[in-house]
């Protein structure tokens, strides 16, 4: 498998790619939508909300946490998750600026 050469791209390009990767699975989108809809931290009931196994939910939560879109607080035996508001705002600005950069074209 090829090696990704992230160092040859700007920090902004890498961040856009990271955010896009985190949003690139419907289960992750569903997790985020659920967290947004509840408007509070969610502790353990994500498995009941999604048609996927606990281990799979955990992997998706790990990816969303890795990019910072969600944060978790450990309260054994549970971990509670919620939207990480500062990073969410940064993602909106970063992805919005990227998408807004296209103003249309006259070819094709």
């Amino acid at each position: 498998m090829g090696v990704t050469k992230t160092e040859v791209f700007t920090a902004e390009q890498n961040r856009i790619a990271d955010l896009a990767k985190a949003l690139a699975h419907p289960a992750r989108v569903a997790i985020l939508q659920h967290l947004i809809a509840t408007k509070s931290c969610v502790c353990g009931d994500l498995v009941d909300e999604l048609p996927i196994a606990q281990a799979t939910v955990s992997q998706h939560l790990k990816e969303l946490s890795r990019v910072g879109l969600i944060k978790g607080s450990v309260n054994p035996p549970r971990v509670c998750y919620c939207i990480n508001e500062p990073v969410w705002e940064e993602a909106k600005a970063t992805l919005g600026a990227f998408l807004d950069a296209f103003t249309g074209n006259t070819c094709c």
Side-chain angles (χ1 to χ4, degrees):
M1 179 164 300
V3 175
T4 59
K5 296 186 177 187
T6 57
E7 68 276 356
V8 301
F9 299 101
T10 67
E12 179 185 33
Q13 290 166 334
N14 280 301
R15 184 61 175 156
I16 290 168
D18 242 6
L19 291 167
K21 180 182 176 186
L23 297 171
H25 194 287
R28 292 185 204 131
V29 172
I31 289 168
L32 291 169
Q33 287 174 324
H34 180 71
L35 293 174
I36 291 165
T38 58
K39 297 181 181 172
S40 66
C41 289
V42 174
C43 302
D45 63 347
L46 284 169
V47 174
D48 299 332
E49 298 296 322
L50 300 169
I52 54 179
Q54 171 64 53
T56 307
V57 170
S58 294
Q59 285 301 112
H60 288 303
L61 290 168
K62 181 178 176 182
E63 180 64 17
L64 291 169
S65 295
R66 183 189 67 77
V67 297
L69 289 172
I70 64 172
K71 59 184 177 180
S73 61
V74 178
N75 187 11
R78 303 174 105 175
V79 179
C80 298
Y81 291 97
C82 61
I83 298 292
N84 186 349
E85 292 182 43
V87 176
W88 188 264
E89 292 302 317
E90 177 252 327
K92 283 174 41 179
T94 301
L95 294 173
F98 170 66
L99 294 172
D100 288 344
F102 178 72
T103 59
N105 59 38
T106 57
C107 67
C108 303

